[in-house]
Amino acid sequence: MDLTLQVWRQAGPNAPGRLVDYPVKDISPDMSFLEMLDIVNEGLNAQGIEPIAFDHDCREGICGMCGLMINGLAHGPQLGTATCQLHMRKFKDGDTIVIEPWKAAGFPIVRDLAVDRSTFDRIIEAGGFITVPTGSASDANLTLVPKEVADWSMDAAACIGCGACVAACPNSAAQLFTAAKIAHLSLLPQGQPERWTRVEAMVDKMEEFFGSCTNHGECETACPKEISIDFIALMNKDYMKAKFKNRRLVSQTG
Amino acid sequence: MAVTESPAKGRRRFWLLDLYGSAVGKKWAMALSGIGLLGFVVAHMIGNLHMYEGAAEMNEYGEYLRIIGGPILPHTVFLWLIRLPLLAAFLIHIHAAYALTITNNHATIDKYKQPREWLAASYASRTMRWSGVIVLLFVAWHLADLTLGWVNPDFISGEPFHNTVVSLSNVGIAALYIVANIALGMHIFHGAWSLFQSIGVNNPRFNRWRRWFAQALATVIVIGNISFPVMILTGVVG
Ligand code: HEM
Ligand code: SF4
Ligand code: FES
């Protein structure tokens, strides 16, 4: 396959950026999108041009490092997968492919296609944890969790923190990420002690960096793990409850 | 290092103000005020169907709105008990919309060069600010036209049937009403679905119905409201 890439090049966080054209030849349809970029970078290296910086790690859709805006779609045209799981057979010979980094004020660009997502870490630090008793591990079935609840919590826990939800959102809102990270703990018995402080702290931290949700639903379709916006509704409900809850009675209500 | 720190600690503000201070809280305010406005829009449309019964019935309905609660409540007091909370809801709705728009403009300083391909966002959801502003301007005109009579030279106080007919017989004004109500319909199309999400009313048992509900509500409101200028222009009512 012969393609034309239009890639966002930016030398550093404060440098001006622009789209640069790169004609590429002899790409196999069996290559993954990131392998294709590797080939392009080898070519650039050989010509003495600075290779294109992009993030990646596991290349199997579990680490959340990769993430590119491909032809106006977060993680490209294939739904429910990360950029590393996208293959060149999804494109046609002669296609022009526009590749941009995630763009949001909360994700400053480091270089080219690589962005700094440490604002997500700040949100997790604010409340994305539970208190566990130290000492020897408790018996596995000591705390019973209904199967449906465990499944639903697991659906939220599938979030890999890639940031596609923010990138796809017209408001650069981080609601889907934050809601997933709240829900996978708050749905389980083990997450109850911090349920109300968690939602307050994580939402407040999120709002320091990101926009406000207008329920477009773009995040849900962009998410490589197909996380549901139902979790956002749960977060909104819990946030309001957290504000007026009598915390001395916290164990009384769900 | 991580210590559970209660953000509630040392909180002095009244909890509702505290809630409104956040973007999530502002969406709560938009949704709840939106529900109030929706209730008004529905009641307003249904009440105006009295236009089809003729001048006497319509004018009687207008007067009835002013004497509800009498003789315990003096004339128009009940009407003001409806109007003031509505005005408050309108102001809260607009303030929250304005504040969140500013927040979002700060959060989206970088724009993509390649136009986005929308998969879920609808035309209605992406134009809420514009449809909202159109509705706001229209409401101002509408009050000046049919409530206060400032822009209606033939306005007669207490005769809503006459006032409506003279105003909407003008093609330009009728067109204004039609365009504004299409904007309102688009606003409701997204808003009446979105509000459930904002206040966390979410249950797999009825989530399918939310889309249906918003579509039905928008359709009924638009058809009902647009029927008045259309029927007056075509001479069916008048
Ligand atoms: C009769 C008049 C109106 C009705 C019935 C109405 C109704 C609604 C509803 C139900 C929502 C959804 C709230 C949510 O998502 O939680 C909404 C959102 C919104 N409204 Fe209105 N509204 C009206 C007038 C206005 C006006 C005058 C403006 C602006 C100047 C406005 C601007 C907005 C905006 C920007 C949103 C946000 C969209 C979003 O975040 O989803 N609205 N409206
Ligand atoms: S919610 Fe989905 S899109 Fe957002 S960070 Fe998690 S995995 Fe990525
Ligand atoms: S490289 Fe790990 S998810 Fe794509």
Side-chain angles (χ1 to χ4, degrees):
Chain A
M1 297 166 78
D2 295 342
L3 305 159
T4 308
L5 302 188
Q6 294 188 342
V7 184
W8 185 262
R9 300 301 311 258
Q10 180 170 335
N14 299 313
R18 66 193 176 93
L19 286 174
V20 179
D21 282 18
Y22 296 103
V24 294
K25 293 205 182 311
D26 299 327
I27 295 296
S28 155
D30 295 329
M31 281 179 190
S32 78
F33 199 83
L34 297 186
E35 280 168 337
M36 182 275 292
L37 285 179
D38 290 338
I39 301 278
V40 172
N41 273 346
E42 274 174 23
L44 292 181
N45 247 339
Q47 296 170 48
I49 302 174
E50 186 68 31
I52 302 162
F54 63 92
D55 266 332
H56 60 97
D57 191 13
C58 70
R59 298 209 176 192
E60 57 177 7
I62 56 170
C63 74
M65 277 308 280
C66 65
L68 301 172
M69 190 57 91
I70 302 166
N71 287 342
L73 289 164
H75 288 305
Q78 183 169 269
L79 299 187
T81 49
T83 302
C84 57
Q85 297 163 289
L86 178 67
H87 287 82
M88 296 314 293
R89 53 181 166 270
K90 292 282 162 184
F91 300 90
K92 291 194 303 293
D93 189 40
D95 273 0
T96 297
I97 306 177
V98 182
I99 310 172
E100 292 181 77
W102 292 164
K103 286 192 174 176
F107 288 162
I109 293 177
V110 178
R111 184 191 190 94
D112 298 338
L113 303 173
V115 299
D116 177 358
R117 283 166 289 194
S118 52
T119 42
F120 271 11
D121 300 338
R122 302 290 91 75
I123 296 175
I124 297 291
E125 280 169 7
F129 47 82
I130 60 166
T131 307
V132 289
T134 52
S136 56
S138 56
D139 180 43
N141 288 327
L142 199 61
T143 311
L144 297 180
V145 182
K147 172 86 167 84
E148 267 202 322
V149 175
D151 285 350
W152 193 225
S153 167
M154 204 49 216
D155 282 354
C159 170
I160 54 177
C162 63
C165 43
V166 174
C169 177
N171 308 312
S172 297
Q175 244 79 0
L176 194 62
F177 166 79
T178 311
K181 294 300 178 195
I182 291 172
H184 78 111
L185 301 177
S186 293
L187 288 167
L188 295 177
Q190 291 87 343
Q192 295 311 302
E194 290 99 350
R195 178 163 173 191
W196 311 106
T197 46
R198 175 185 305 117
V199 65
E200 235 183 328
M202 290 177 76
V203 167
D204 290 349
K205 190 50 83 178
M206 167 188 82
E207 291 184 356
E208 284 178 25
F209 310 114
F210 297 100
S212 162
C213 176
T214 57
N215 302 323
H216 287 295
E218 282 294 324
C219 52
E220 188 181 52
T221 44
C223 175
K225 300 298 155 189
E226 302 184 311
I227 290 175
S228 166
I229 56 172
D230 289 1
F231 292 116
I232 299 178
L234 179 66
M235 174 176 81
N236 291 341
K237 185 160 70 182
D238 271 12
Y239 186 77
M240 198 280 282
K241 280 193 190 166
K243 290 287 180 195
F244 81 116
K245 202 126 202 124
N246 178 353
R247 288 174 198 221
R248 289 171 302 184
L249 301 178
V250 140
S251 67
Q252 303 269 310
T253 44
Chain B
M1 180 222 104
V3 178
T4 325
E5 206 177 286
S6 167
K9 242 194 209 149
R11 185 166 63 199
R12 254 165 259 108
R13 271 191 301 179
F14 177 50
W15 72 272
L16 273 177
L17 286 181
D18 200 45
L19 180 65
Y20 192 75
S22 72
V24 168
K26 287 192 181 69
K27 281 309 300 266
W28 267 86
M30 290 196 81
L32 296 181
S33 58
I35 291 172
L37 295 171
L38 280 175
F40 165 76
V41 166
V42 170
H44 185 69
M45 191 277 285
I46 293 176
N48 288 348
L49 292 175
H50 286 289
M51 285 296 288
Y52 291 113
E53 291 181 316
E57 282 82 354
M58 182 65 194
N59 294 346
E60 189 195 325
Y61 164 67
E63 178 56 19
Y64 172 71
L65 291 178
R66 287 159 177 77
I67 60 173
I68 298 179
I72 295 182
L73 296 180
H75 198 252
T76 68
V77 164
F78 177 84
L79 192 59
W80 278 104
L81 289 179
I82 300 289
R83 280 172 172 172
L84 290 178
L86 259 183
L87 185 67
F90 210 61
L91 293 178
I92 290 172
H93 195 83
I94 293 168
H95 179 264
Y98 171 79
L100 293 179
T101 302
I102 305 250
T103 301
N104 288 345
N105 287 346
H106 286 305
T108 54
I109 39 171
D110 301 314
K111 295 274 188 259
Y112 294 105
K113 287 276 178 275
Q114 166 81 5
R116 290 290 317 286
E117 197 174 311
W118 304 113
L119 297 178
S122 64
Y123 186 73
S125 76
R126 285 179 285 117
T127 53
M128 286 301 268
R129 283 161 206 164
W130 298 115
S131 57
V133 168
I134 292 172
V135 171
L136 173 66
L137 294 176
F138 167 73
V139 168
W141 168 270
H142 182 56
L143 290 177
D145 180 16
L146 294 178
T147 304
L148 301 163
W150 293 348
V151 293
N152 191 343
D154 297 312
F155 185 81
I156 306 173
S157 185
E159 293 200 18
F161 185 89
H162 163 86
N163 297 336
T164 309
V165 171
V166 290
S167 189
L168 291 182
S169 302
N170 180 315
V171 180
I173 294 179
L176 177 79
Y177 274 78
I178 292 172
V179 169
N181 273 288
I182 289 171
L184 175 64
M186 282 169 40
H187 202 83
I188 294 174
F189 177 83
H190 180 65
W193 173 82
S194 167
L195 69 89
F196 294 104
Q197 194 70 11
S198 302
I199 61 176
V201 176
N202 186 299
N203 185 326
R205 258 188 262 286
F206 66 81
N207 278 349
R208 290 183 304 124
W209 293 93
R210 289 165 32 193
R211 187 74 280 164
W212 180 90
F213 168 76
Q215 275 165 359
L217 199 63
T219 311
V220 169
I221 296 292
V222 171
I223 291 179
N225 279 349
I226 286 184
S227 78
F228 304 114
V230 170
M231 291 303 165
I232 289 170
L233 275 186
T234 54
V236 176
V237 172

